Amino acid sequence: MRVVFMGTPVFAVGSLKALTESAKHEIIGVVTQPDRPKGRGNKVLQTPVKEYALAKGFTVYQPLKVKTPEFVQVLRELNPDIIVVAAFGQFLSQEILSLPKYGCINVHASLLPKYRGAAPIQYAIIKGEKESGVTIMQMDIGMDTGAMLDKVVVPISDELTMGQLHDELMEKGASLLLKVMDDIASGKAKPVPQNNDEATYATLLNRSMECIDWSKSAREVHDLIRGFNPEPSTFTSLPNGKKLKLWGSRLTDKNSSAKPGTIIEINKHSFLVACGSGAIEITEVQPESKKRMLAQVFINGRGIQVGDLLGQSRE
């Protein structure tokens, strides 16, 4: 098939790579978000999809809005058989959705209709789900509301981080995409409507979500820490007011009557913090202005002691 690919972050690169390496499909154009400044230096960076596409010699388009008449005309002239979308970051108009012979399909990192929206991988973990997956859908005008063409399920263990789940979903989604493309070409694809009554939404993450609320259960704190690893990360504050990022944790069977946020135990490799219910073991941290380190290193530096109160509980 003649394919126009639309995507922006690393997750989308997996699908683009699979299409590139397939002998069955021709990438005739890659559409990604405009380059934007990032980081402390405010340096303008290319999107991961753009970097990969340029390295492979593809023509890259970066419209501020894909819906403009000018860019729709560009798509018409490209004349794709299908448009493949993966974490692109812009809504497509009905005019674009109807343009290719086989329409537009989306590689979405959740088991739809659960977690429609912008941050499905993070939400699957911070909400304590036991499984996630990738759904490929035939796109319609709604937000992730299109009929499902196929899906793959990926289990979520208690220790799995967002980064690990992201990489597995990227790989499984890329493989599933090729299968769905074959099904579409052969006429075997059978779209299944979503049950809108079962829909949930993964809204945009915000800064306030990164701050640990120790009044929550140990399970909720643990899920937030691993759900925000490696980005955007979680944090609390030390008694001296300095920020402490939390990167690694484990669930325990311990309970404590101490105020949530209190360090109740320090051992050789970790420290335990009281939560609203239960206690959580912290195994990896990042003190303010320092690199990530094992909790053991932080403890040896006498950064904390039993009885210290981290952050502020929201009772």
Side-chain angles (χ1 to χ4, degrees), residues 75-91:
L75 293 175
R76 288 192 184 283
E77 292 172 1
L78 287 172
N79 191 30
D81 294 318
I82 193 168
I83 293 176
V84 175
V85 180
F88 173 45
Q90 294 188 39
F91 286 103

Side-chain angles (χ1 to χ4, degrees), residues 92-300:
L92 307 190
S93 64
Q94 185 60 56
E95 189 176 14
I96 294 174
L97 295 173
S98 305
L99 191 152
K101 176 181 178 182
Y102 296 109
C104 304
I105 63 173
N106 182 278
V107 184
H108 185 73
S110 82
L111 297 175
L112 291 170
K114 265 194 173 181
Y115 303 120
R116 296 171 177 173
I121 304 176
Q122 286 94 339
Y123 271 83
I125 293 184
I126 64 178
K127 293 296 184 180
E129 300 289 352
K130 296 302 181 184
E131 62 181 23
S132 181
V134 175
T135 304
I136 297 183
M137 72 184 122
Q138 191 77 48
M139 295 177 69
D140 61 18
I141 201 66
M143 183 173 69
D144 302 326
T145 55
M148 302 175 292
L149 297 168
D150 208 344
K151 60 176 62 176
V152 60
V153 176
V154 173
I156 301 176
S157 70
D158 282 345
E159 304 305 320
L160 195 72
T161 66
M162 186 279 284
Q164 292 165 335
L165 179 59
H166 169 281
D167 291 350
E168 188 166 0
L169 294 178
M170 179 174 65
E171 180 181 337
K172 294 286 178 65
S175 297
L176 185 64
L177 172 62
L178 296 182
K179 175 186 177 297
V180 169
M181 298 275 282
D182 286 345
D183 289 345
I184 291 172
S186 65
K188 294 180 181 178
K190 296 181 179 179
V192 177
Q194 294 185 43
N195 184 344
N196 290 325
D197 292 337
E198 297 177 355
T200 60
Y201 290 86
T203 54
L204 286 171
L205 305 177
N206 61 68
R207 183 72 174 173
S208 66
M209 297 173 68
E210 300 170 26
C211 182
I212 296 293
D213 180 355
W214 296 108
S215 68
K216 293 185 178 295
S217 70
R219 161 65 74 175
E220 290 174 296
V221 173
H222 174 65
D223 290 345
L224 184 68
I225 291 172
R226 65 197 183 98
F228 278 17
N229 180 357
E231 58 181 0
S233 80
T234 58
F235 68 91
T236 189
S237 59
L238 294 167
N240 62 10
K242 290 189 175 182
K243 182 183 293 186
L244 181 71
K245 289 187 176 182
L246 305 178
W247 290 108
S249 60
R250 280 195 290 260
L251 294 170
T252 74
D253 58 2
K254 297 192 176 185
N255 289 292
S256 174
S257 59
K259 185 176 181 179
T262 302
I263 296 175
I264 59 173
E265 182 180 321
I266 296 176
N267 55 50
K268 186 176 181 181
H269 299 290
S270 60
F271 59 93
L272 273 65
V273 184
C275 298
S277 62
I280 190 170
E281 182 179 9
I282 303 301
T283 59
E284 187 178 4
V285 300
Q286 184 176 0
E288 190 172 312
S289 303
K290 294 185 179 180
K291 295 181 180 180
R292 287 174 63 161
M293 61 182 68
L294 295 176
Q296 177 182 359
V297 178
F298 181 61
I299 291 165
N300 291 342

